Amino acid sequence: MMKVLHDTIHQLTIPTPFAVGDVHVYLLKGDVLSLVDAGVRTKEAWEALVLQLKQLGYSPNDIEQLILTHHHPDHIGLVGEFPRAHSIVGHSFNEPWLTKDESFFNRYEQFFKDYFAFFGVPDVYLKYLEQMKSELGHFGEGSLTAVIDEGDVLPGHDQWRVIGTKGHAQSHLSFFRESDGSFIGGDHLLAHITPNPVLEPPYNEGQERPKPLLQYRSNLNKCLQLGIQKVYPGHNEVFSNLDELIPAQLKLQEKRANKVFEMLQVKEQKPFAICQQLFPKKFAKQLDLTMSETIGQLDFLENEGKILATVKDGILFYQIK
Ligand SMILES: [Zn+2]
């Protein structure tokens, strides 16, 4: 009988300066030696990575390919630090982040200015947008050499199939090996935490804005059908109880949406007012994430046909149907 040889997969754990804590990257040995994700761009992260590669008998110079799950700074930070890596592969939406595309960032900033005004956010909170720009230093620099998307096979690792998992990020991909049900899930599937469905502008101008929570839910359901046995996540421990975890995460989100529905039963409200009630302590400091979460729940309720949007003097209001 022929033995099926699998790529070997090693988890490396890298510190980040962010609230989320450590991030995992994965060393994948197949026809090429790949690193899935590249930690954050700090000295501590680099030292942790080099040390753990060394413990496995490798050095950064041995890495031939970088594979990205999504564009967030804790996943692409060190992407430019591997001189012998001849390829960087990921979703095409990583590219403006990797190349620090000025016109993209301007459009990004304008999108949030416009939408925050539309959501009823007072101008005094817009200083957060400046802070967003200052965080760009944590992003790695580079450029994709190959674009991958849903249904593709990972270059150099032909047992791994690319699964589209937008929601947490518009660039988000996961990687699935059907033969043993292994799944490298980035931030799409995590134990103990539900990832933030982050609001982003459409990547192609003129398109409607993505609805990240709806994407996230539909991709959770998709993952439930894949036959995943073991998840190698971007944060926290490796896990396998998807049949429990995914329905529990969907239910938790529905509970949050119901809380928003109850607020709207009292009176019609603008998104920012709902955000303040949902996150009274957090909203001012983490306006992007708390507004993303709020808009997510509103998108969900609207999609369920439970609430109705109206616009008054350029500001969005929701009411129950
Ligand atoms: Zn992320």
Side-chain angles (χ1 to χ4, degrees):
M1 223 170 80
M2 232 175 68
K3 192 167 171 266
V4 180
L5 285 177
H6 280 150
D7 294 7
T8 52
I9 177 164
H10 292 284
Q11 184 186 68
L12 285 65
T13 302
I14 313 287
T16 79
F18 306 128
V20 70
D22 293 345
V23 65
H24 303 306
V25 304
Y26 294 93
L27 187 72
L28 212 55
K29 174 90 184 92
D31 296 337
V32 297
L33 187 68
S34 299
L35 198 61
V36 182
D37 283 346
V40 70
R41 195 181 198 179
T42 65
K43 190 167 164 280
E44 293 74 22
W46 176 249
E47 285 170 359
L49 181 63
V50 172
L51 178 70
Q52 289 170 67
L53 281 175
K54 195 177 171 191
Q55 287 165 345
L56 294 167
Y58 295 107
S59 86
N61 277 340
D62 296 320
I63 303 295
E64 295 169 294
Q65 173 170 261
L66 292 145
I67 299 167
L68 304 176
T69 62
H70 64 298
H71 71 269
H72 290 165
D74 48 338
H75 296 260
I76 68 166
L78 297 169
V79 81
E81 308 298 320
F82 301 89
R84 305 261 309 271
H86 51 74
S87 49
I88 304 176
V89 304
H91 191 281
S92 60
F93 292 168
N94 287 291
E95 187 67 1
W97 299 94
L98 289 169
T99 57
K100 306 200 182 193
D101 180 337
E102 203 48 49
S103 72
F104 172 78
F105 289 140
N106 290 338
R107 197 157 62 78
Y108 192 89
E109 200 179 336
Q110 193 58 47
F111 169 86
F112 279 99
K113 271 188 188 151
D114 294 347
Y115 266 95
F116 279 2
F118 189 46
F119 296 153
V121 178
D123 286 349
V124 47
Y125 295 110
L126 292 181
K127 59 181 183 289
Y128 135 81
L129 288 170
E130 296 301 313
Q131 180 192 329
M132 224 166 58
K133 267 196 160 165
S134 72
E135 284 167 5
L136 286 174
H138 289 297
F139 287 81
E141 275 173 70
S143 182
L144 294 173
T145 58
V147 165
I148 49 173
D149 207 343
E150 171 94 18
D152 288 338
V153 164
L154 267 189
H157 305 277
D158 57 12
Q159 302 151 350
W160 292 85
R161 192 152 52 89
V162 179
I163 309 291
T165 44
K166 282 186 205 292
H168 172 64
Q170 294 307 307
S171 58
H172 207 295
L173 297 174
S174 302
F175 311 112
F176 180 55
R177 180 165 65 189
E178 198 156 15
S179 57
D180 70 344
S182 290
F183 189 82
I184 300 177
D187 287 356
H188 177 59
L189 293 176
L190 299 170
H192 310 308
I193 22 176
T194 44
N196 296 298
V198 181
L199 197 60
E200 290 179 52
Y203 279 66
N204 301 314
E205 269 175 282
Q207 275 181 350
E208 238 181 279
R209 78 165 168 86
K211 297 188 169 166
L213 183 67
L214 301 183
Q215 295 171 320
Y216 171 65
R217 279 183 63 90
S218 105
N219 286 322
L220 278 183
N221 281 315
K222 179 166 75 179
C223 286
L224 203 49
Q225 311 304 320
L226 286 175
I228 296 169
Q229 298 298 322
K230 192 174 185 180
V231 178
Y232 294 94
H235 307 276
N236 294 349
E237 76 264 21
V238 171
F239 60 96
S240 51
N241 56 332
L242 263 84
D243 290 345
E244 289 164 43
L245 188 109
I246 290 180
Q249 291 195 334
L250 289 168
K251 219 173 239 158
L252 183 68
Q253 183 268 309
E254 287 156 20
K255 229 171 113 183
R256 288 179 183 153
N258 202 41
K259 217 170 133 185
V260 172
F261 185 71
E262 282 169 6
M263 288 174 195
L264 292 172
Q265 275 180 319
V266 179
K267 58 174 182 196
E268 73 162 8
Q269 304 192 47
K270 46 191 173 191
F272 180 64
I274 292 168
C275 181
Q276 284 176 300
Q277 294 162 73
L278 280 178
F279 305 101
K281 291 194 182 120
K282 259 172 66 185
F283 80 88
K285 271 192 181 157
Q286 289 193 290
L287 194 58
D288 54 343
L289 293 181
T290 55
M291 275 308 296
S292 285
E293 174 73 26
T294 305
I295 293 301
Q297 304 303 346
L298 291 165
D299 284 345
F300 172 76
L301 289 169
E302 192 180 22
N303 189 57
E304 296 281 292
K306 290 187 168 164
I307 62 170
L308 202 67
T310 46
V311 180
K312 291 181 205 167
D313 296 328
I315 294 179
L316 187 60
F317 283 84
Y318 284 96
Q319 63 188 84
I320 61 164
K321 254 187 181 175

